[in-house]
């Protein structure tokens, strides 16, 4: 079962496929199956051409596994992963040549409870 534990839109900067990207959707994703759990930090940059343009394009999407083990979802573990989440996203963005502007959220965060 795949669940978006956390997701939020932020202003951002990246040029991908010769298209300027001005926003990013950041996500902490949980994927569990048959007693095995995996968490992925993911960022996707998209054009955001005007204020209500949230058409996410997945041609500039980057992610990495930040936790995997036998077990199941844990609220305590998820809270700990969220505490280091921004550094993982910053690393992914930097490797892609972009940046997420954490002080410029475009929408409220959504959290799975």
């Amino acid at each position: 079962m795949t669940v978006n534990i956390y997701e939020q839109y932020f202003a951002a900067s990246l040029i991908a496929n010769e298209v300027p990207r001005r926003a990013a959707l950041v996500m902490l994703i949980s994927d569990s199956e048959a007693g095995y759990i995996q968490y992925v930090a993911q960022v996707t940059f998209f054009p955001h051409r005007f204020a209500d343009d949230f058409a996410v394009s997945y041609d500039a999407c980057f992610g990495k596994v930040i936790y995997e083990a036998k077990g199941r979802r844990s609220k305590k573990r998820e809270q700990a992963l969220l505490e280091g989440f921004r550094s993982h996203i910053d690393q992914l963005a930097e490797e892609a040549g972009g940046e997420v502007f954490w002080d410029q959220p475009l929408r409220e965060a959504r959290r799975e409870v």
Side-chain angles (χ1 to χ4, degrees):
M1 185 165 121
T2 302
V3 177
N4 284 8
I5 304 301
Y6 165 83
E7 63 181 38
Q8 189 168 10
Y9 295 86
F10 290 92
S13 176
L14 175 79
I15 295 180
N17 299 320
E18 300 179 11
V19 177
R21 313 304 168 105
R22 296 178 183 92
L25 171 60
V26 299
M27 296 169 279
L28 176 62
I29 302 166
S30 165
D31 191 15
S32 61
E33 185 176 334
Y36 187 80
I37 187 78
Q38 181 180 71
Y39 289 92
V40 175
Q42 184 171 307
V43 58
T44 184
F45 292 88
F46 60 100
H48 193 60
R49 293 184 175 101
F50 41 89
D52 60 349
D53 176 15
F54 290 93
V56 175
S57 55
Y58 288 94
D59 64 336
C61 185
F62 310 94
K64 72 175 184 176
V65 175
I66 58 174
Y67 180 89
E68 59 185 332
K70 288 188 177 190
R72 56 187 180 170
R73 283 187 59 193
S74 158
K75 299 291 182 188
K76 186 177 179 179
R77 180 183 313 117
E78 289 171 3
Q79 185 58 42
L81 291 172
L82 281 170
E83 289 173 12
F85 177 74
R86 287 186 179 193
S87 65
H88 293 295
I89 297 298
D90 285 341
Q91 180 185 13
L92 289 167
E94 183 179 332
E95 289 171 1
E99 182 178 4
V100 174
F101 304 121
W102 298 106
D103 60 341
Q104 297 176 44
L106 300 174
R107 287 195 174 169
E108 294 294 317
R110 191 197 67 73
R111 290 225 24 210
E112 175 70 26
V113 289

